[in-house]
Amino acid sequence: MPHVILLHAAFAFMTKKERYAFVLDYFRKAIPDPETELQYTNPYELLVAVILSAQCTDKRVNLVTPSLFKKYPTVEDLATASPEEIFSLIRSISYPNNKAKHLAGMARKLVNEFGGEVPATIEELVTLPGVGRKTANVVLNIAFGHPTIAVDTHVFRVSNRTGLAKGDTVEVVEQKLKKVIPSEVKRHAHHWLILHGRYVCKARNPNCAECVIADLCPSHILQR
């Protein structure tokens, strides 16, 4: 208990910059090598998995992709499939009709316009069916090692709750995070915030008792 009191007192005198440093240092030590929970073996499989993960859990996506990749192991194979054929393999995913059309269109465009290779720029990625800025940033981060910060529902929630980057839109939150997070940890920060939101700072019933940064969190302080 004395240790907790001392920590709380120290937090009260921290500057905003020091608080950011404390939060990022905590994540760096707690999760030194964060990775996506989506299962994939190459950029093509990752792109497919990320498209399927929109408004769907990674766990559900990982249950569906093995049979999908077995039937369509390459983007060229997927480009020959109709949306109806793809739908039959992803029917348990959220919004399967739209995602089947997106995957079919994405594969054909990759083959016809990019030589079957997943592009490594956000400008090119967002021209693909089913690929918005968030999906593009995830692919750039994981497949190509770019220091991008993709703002999904978890990142948006954690950023606003903790005050790390408050904003009404994902675009505003993304730009603020890019400003406050040092370049050397930007790539990991995306995963840190997702994992924290998925397992600790949940949408319902956040587990503040297990959160090391709770005393820095405006939402938690207001609830006490």
Side-chain angles (χ1 to χ4, degrees), residues 162-184:
T162 61
L164 192 63
K166 296 182 74 67
D168 295 329
T169 67
V170 294
E171 291 80 9
V172 170
V173 170
E174 180 189 342
Q175 293 307 314
K176 287 187 176 181
L177 286 173
K178 287 167 68 174
K179 288 181 180 179
V180 301
I181 296 177
S183 297
E184 63 270 20

Side-chain angles (χ1 to χ4, degrees), residues 93-121:
I93 293 286
S94 60
Y95 306 104
N97 281 304
N98 286 339
K99 290 179 181 178
K101 294 174 184 176
H102 289 157
L103 290 181
M106 175 274 292
R108 289 168 190 158
K109 186 159 186 172
L110 277 186
V111 171
N112 294 332
E113 299 184 23
F114 295 98
E117 298 292 327
V118 176
T121 70

Side-chain angles (χ1 to χ4, degrees), residues 31 34-35 37 190-200:
I31 318 173
E35 296 180 354
E37 294 183 321
H190 161 73
H191 301 287
W192 288 335
L193 295 171
I194 284 178
L195 293 172
H196 192 66
R198 185 173 291 163
Y199 297 111
V200 181

Side-chain angles (χ1 to χ4, degrees), residues 17 20-21 34 51 65 72-74 83 114 144 153 190 192 196 199 203 207 211 221:
K17 184 177 181 179
Y20 286 137
I51 290 174
T65 49
Y72 306 112
T74 69
F114 295 98
F144 301 108
T153 55
H190 161 73
W192 288 335
H196 192 66
Y199 297 111
N207 193 1
C211 181
I221 292 170

